[in-house]
Amino acid sequence: MKTSRIVVAIVAAGTFAAAGTALTATGSPVLSDDHADLIPGILPDDQPSTPTAPPTPAPGGLQAGPSQAPACTGVTITPGQDATQIIDDAPNGTTFCFAAGLHRISQTIRPKPDQVLASDQGAVLTGSVRLTKWSASNGDWVTTGALPPAYRQTGQCEDNVANICYLREQVFLDGKHLTRVAARDKVVPGTFYADYPANAVYLGDDPAGRSVEMSKTDTAIQSSANGVTVRGLTIEHFATPPQGGAIQLGLGWKVYANDIRWNHAVGAMLVNADSAVLEKNLIHHNGQLGIGQYSTLNGTISGNEVSYNNTDGFWIADWESGGIKTTWSNGGWVTGNLIKANRGVGLWSDAYDDGRTFNANQIIDNAADGIRYEIGRNGTIADNTITGNGLGTGRGSGTSLWDGGGINVNTSSNVQVRDNVVANNVNGISIQSRTRGSGPWGLNLLRDIVVSGNQVTMKGGTTATGMVQNSGAVIPTGEVTLKANTYILDSLTADRFQKTGQWYSATEWRQTGQDAGSTFTIRSLVR
């Protein structure tokens, strides 16, 4: 992993260059083709003081999904067979090859130790059932008898009035995910309403001659067995409960080259999955979250494309929705993933993660923070490219540093934020100290945060970098260090920095003693 630092020019403190000039070490002006405004330690961004390669990003076109699965040799399972029973009857270590086609899974598959569930033919495991018996009903169409009994609400929804995101059964019309509405009188084309007390499903589209399916089985693959491998499968339409995964990895599992999509809650969950590997999967359009991890030692989440998750309306700003979330885990890596266009946080560590490394990910256009590191310790956030995040939050959020940024470190300790490219997010880097109670390590405090070697672009709105605190969580002097960063700004006089309630321009920020050795620059629109 590259850990280069930015070397800045040495200039006399308090000396300023006119627009369109740079300063030499002696303070003499040198004309610049960039026509930038500059302040001490500042060079035009196209003339770095020491040429270096950018941080290594995750590749934009990942090689992921079933096309990456190797050939399968083993016990063949064909559509129409009871895959769950066949796997249950076989001994440890058996390899199963799912043939091409649609495999309806009516009960969770529970593999044994060292078994392999695979396909090299594009097999699809679905948790849905077909709905075929429809009747016209006052402008809608209705079928009965398919729903489970009503169940209690869990999770938090973006729409906290209707509060329907937790309902698990999704409906698909000719493969298209329909939007759930909260009452029958809201049903229009493209939507459905599920009346659990009456055990009735209403559609706003005429189903005649069309395929209508409803997710039914809650989980595709889950067991306590060690060493299971799952590869080359498409896993879709499972009615997973909030925080539940369509596939749940266990100890030493390897899950790679799958397409995990259109499940109600989480695509893939690592739970007590020490040393498990989740790699080269396409994980997209799941109802709540792409990937979750809980209570896992040295798990690896690598080379996945995690995109367009939270289709079913969980709270965007602050309830476990979006791309990837990990909790109560030690060590391990989230590395080389493309995390894109999720309706929530891109990559989130929350609640007592220890020693986690987030590196070389490409995190783009997620609705909330790009990376959030919350109530954890000993974390490393390095060499990521984080652009366009935090601009799609709604309920309970805004644009201040309290609401987050490209990178948000919240009430954590010993966290290194280094060598990231952070550009055009709702904020740059937000350091938050909040009153968060106590946990297994004692009082939760913000301590020993070092932000260095990052390139941060902030060019509009209220975008800022800095730190905020509430009255019960004052940040002691020296516990947050920003140094050797590069800032690309819209103006050197606009307030783009903040420290515990006080706003600063770039010039003023340097005078506070922050960002020693850092570079601040703007580009002219005209060359």
Side-chain angles (χ1 to χ4, degrees), residues 389-526:
N389 299 282
L391 304 173
T393 55
R395 178 171 72 86
S397 192
T399 60
S400 77
L401 284 178
W402 284 112
D403 299 299
I407 298 175
N408 171 7
V409 178
N410 179 347
T411 320
S412 296
S413 62
N414 190 28
V415 179
Q416 300 284 321
V417 180
R418 63 174 186 258
D419 302 318
N420 302 283
V421 174
V422 183
N424 303 320
N425 303 283
V426 64
N427 285 298
I429 298 175
S430 171
I431 310 298
Q432 302 177 358
S433 181
R434 299 174 181 255
T435 306
R436 301 302 299 271
S438 298
W441 311 322
L443 189 64
N444 296 312
L445 298 169
L446 182 82
R447 295 290 186 271
D448 193 18
I449 311 300
V450 179
V451 179
S452 63
N454 304 283
Q455 178 180 294
V456 183
T457 299
M458 300 183 291
K459 287 194 169 183
T462 58
T463 308
T465 284
M467 60 199 81
V468 289
Q469 66 186 28
N470 62 22
S471 59
V474 174
I475 304 171
T477 300
E479 292 293 349
V480 177
T481 301
L482 295 91
K483 62 182 181 180
N485 299 294
T486 295
Y487 296 98
I488 301 172
L489 308 172
D490 54 340
S491 167
L492 298 179
T493 59
D495 290 338
R496 289 282 169 258
F497 299 89
Q498 187 178 356
K499 182 179 180 183
T500 60
Q502 179 67 47
W503 285 85
Y504 301 92
S505 67
T507 305
E508 294 165 341
W509 183 245
R510 283 290 297 273
Q511 293 171 350
T512 69
Q514 295 294 329
D515 268 301
S518 292
T519 298
F520 301 72
T521 186
I522 66 173
R523 290 193 183 114
S524 172
L525 297 178
V526 179

